[in-house]
Amino acid sequence: MSEKTTFWLDGAEIPFTAGQTLLEAARRAGHYIPHLCWHPDYKPHGSCKLCTVKVDGRFVSACTTLAQAGAHVENRTAELDDMRRTLLQLLFVEGNHFCPSCEKSGQCLLQATAYELGMMSPHFDHFFPNRPVDASHPEVMLDFNRCILCSLCEQAAKRDGKFTFVMGGRGMRGRRVILNSESGRLADTDFSSTDHAAHVCPVGVILKKRVGFAVPYGQRRYDQAPVSLLDVAEAIK
Amino acid sequence: MNAPAKLRIATASLAGCFGCHMSFLDIDERLLELIDLVEFDRTPLTDIKTCHPCDLGLIEGGVCNAENVHVLRTFRQNCKTLVAIGACAVNGGLPAQRNHLDLRDILETIYETEGGLARGTHIPNDPELPLPLNRVHPIHEIVKVDYFLPGCPPSADAIWKFLTDLIAGRTPTLGHGLLRYD
């Protein structure tokens, strides 16, 4: 049995087992650390930086940093939440996030995290980029206006032994998800609506057709409770 | 003792649908409480057409044409505190979904090439019509905005909480259920 030790998170003592990350141990102990690109079923890659915490004064990603005995970790401080809000605002202006017309509204991790952090405005000037919508597949559509480049679809496809979604391109406007078919369309890939990738998107890019408003606004996942409660409830159930 | 002076409020809808104004009216009988505390300057509710010096300006809608820019700047000059109300004022909203399209292409399609138009129909060119901008802008891209109240529209409860906080001199806080973007 691995040795149990503890670290300190915003003054609370958090137990962990060797090899656990700060994010995993905190969630397991009922403490929410904001995150977007992290998913419990996939290897963390620390790219969205929402889970940034301060360990003994140094900024680290909580999803990729192993817990260490006796460490003092700052999480929901005004300083860190301010920075997280700025990261969210940058994501909102970089894509086209029009919540009132989005099927994912109320079940979207980006939106729920912005609610949690009290984001009242996008603050920056919008890019309003021109991004494609792909409705070629009979069961699933893709709306890249909302993509936050978390790469979870790429990882989820690999879990099924597929390379349907691949992160490609360079730079702020070039980086994107590329579909692995000659036409570049979803219908021409080996994608199936039963793939793990069909259900992993934290925002409203990968959407099952014809069920968009089966559950009305107001009765959706994050309408019931804030993400901070649901996230840790999921970890300890 | 004299009653404290009432706050003056002005409101306007720019590139919006008046949905936020309708949601504001949805505060229902609380309007009676509100008019004990405030009086209205320029707003569709009073039909006053020019904005005078005010304590609070509420702007619904984004900025899609030259007249919107003018009205917004007038509000900023006259209002001590300016608030963006609703998705369109906050991020451009539905009208901004034209932003990745070319304006001339849009106008030609709607007024000249779309099916069902009368023969010889052209893009309207009356000098009274304000010229559209190439892109629809959230209002914070044009003037300084003091507070933002998102939602499409923000619910009456959210508007009430926001206004009562502001009038009482508190920083408005909405919390779960009242802060929504949809």
Side-chain angles (χ1 to χ4, degrees), chain A:
Chain A
M1 206 176 120
S2 52
E3 193 188 344
K4 260 209 164 166
T5 35
T6 61
F7 67 93
W8 299 89
L9 183 75
D10 289 341
E13 195 172 11
I14 309 292
F16 71 94
T17 49
Q20 256 183 334
T21 62
L22 291 170
L23 182 67
E24 286 166 341
R27 275 180 103 228
R28 188 61 64 135
H31 293 264
Y32 170 69
I33 298 178
H35 58 81
L36 285 177
C37 71
W38 180 86
H39 187 290
D41 297 343
Y42 300 98
K43 196 178 160 202
H45 50 103
S47 68
C48 78
K49 299 297 170 201
L50 254 286
C51 73
T52 300
V53 292
K54 256 183 169 177
V55 179
D56 295 323
R58 295 185 66 184
F59 292 109
V60 298
S61 297
C63 71
T64 54
T65 305
L66 296 181
Q68 294 208 18
H72 286 269
V73 182
E74 291 172 46
N75 174 31
R76 298 303 302 272
T77 61
E79 179 198 20
L80 285 165
D81 276 355
D82 275 350
M83 289 177 174
R84 290 176 177 135
R85 210 173 294 118
T86 303
L87 288 174
L88 289 167
Q89 287 167 326
L90 290 166
L91 286 171
F92 269 87
V93 300
E94 205 173 271
N96 293 311
H97 298 277
F98 295 111
C99 299
S101 55
C102 180
E103 292 182 16
K104 195 72 178 240
S105 190
Q107 340 226 54
C108 167
L109 188 60
L110 177 69
Q111 184 193 60
T113 309
Y115 290 167
E116 173 70 31
L117 290 163
M119 191 191 99
M120 301 300 282
S121 83
H123 181 79
F124 299 103
D125 285 6
H126 285 68
F127 286 20
F128 294 120
N130 188 4
R131 298 222 195 127
V133 174
D134 181 343
S136 61
H137 194 277
E139 291 165 82
V140 171
M141 69 166 282
L142 303 175
D143 188 339
F144 286 109
N145 286 293
R146 300 149 186 169
C147 185
I148 56 169
L149 303 174
C150 69
S151 83
L152 282 172
C153 54
E154 183 183 32
Q155 291 192 66
K158 281 182 185 161
R159 191 172 168 188
D160 293 314
K162 295 182 178 181
F163 294 90
T164 317
F165 302 98
V166 185
M167 301 301 297
R170 285 167 184 262
M172 191 165 55
R173 288 168 205 257
R175 189 83 176 146
R176 65 195 185 280
V177 173
I178 294 171
L179 297 171
N180 190 11
S181 67
E182 208 161 312
S183 66
R185 299 188 327 151
L186 186 65
D188 300 327
T189 67
D190 55 358
F191 176 82
S192 150
S193 62
T194 55
D195 288 353
H196 285 99
H199 313 287
V200 77
C201 183
V203 294
V205 179
I206 306 176
L207 296 167
K208 196 160 189 271
K209 289 184 177 177
R210 290 176 287 278
V211 294
F213 294 96
V215 180
Y217 286 178
Q219 294 174 27
R220 297 181 167 200
R221 176 175 163 82
Y222 297 114
D223 295 324
Q224 317 299 325
V227 61
S228 52
L229 293 181
L230 293 174
D231 187 62
V232 294
E234 210 166 68
I236 54 186
K237 79 180 173 198

Side-chain angles (χ1 to χ4, degrees), chain B residues 25-103:
Chain B
L25 293 179
D26 276 344
I27 66 174
D28 295 333
E29 67 270 28
R30 288 172 287 187
L31 269 171
L32 301 175
E33 269 179 72
L34 187 66
I35 55 171
D36 283 340
L37 303 171
V38 307
E39 58 189 345
F40 287 99
D41 190 79
R42 174 191 160 145
T43 160
L45 312 179
T46 58
D47 213 21
I48 297 172
K49 305 293 189 197
T50 49
C51 184
H52 305 92
C54 283
D55 298 292
L56 187 57
L58 309 177
I59 300 285
E60 168 194 335
V63 177
C64 78
N65 63 33
E67 192 224 1
N68 293 160
V69 176
H70 175 75
V71 172
L72 180 58
R73 287 192 172 143
T74 309
F75 264 68
R76 180 67 278 184
Q77 280 163 5
N78 281 286
C79 301
K80 287 182 196 159
T81 300
L82 195 67
V83 182
I85 289 209
C88 302
V90 170
N91 67 12
L94 186 130
Q97 296 196 31
R98 75 160 160 90
N99 280 357
H100 65 281
L101 303 171
D102 179 73
L103 182 59

Side-chain angles (χ1 to χ4, degrees), chain B residues 114-153:
Chain B
E114 190 83 336
L117 295 169
R119 193 180 293 269
T121 307
H122 291 294
I123 297 170
N125 194 25
D126 191 297
E128 290 238 337
L129 291 173
L131 290 173
L133 306 179
N134 285 342
R135 280 183 157 193
V136 179
H137 298 269
I139 68 168
H140 74 269
E141 294 186 10
I142 313 291
V143 297
K144 182 188 184 299
V145 176
D146 300 299
Y147 294 99
F148 296 83
L149 174 54
C152 186

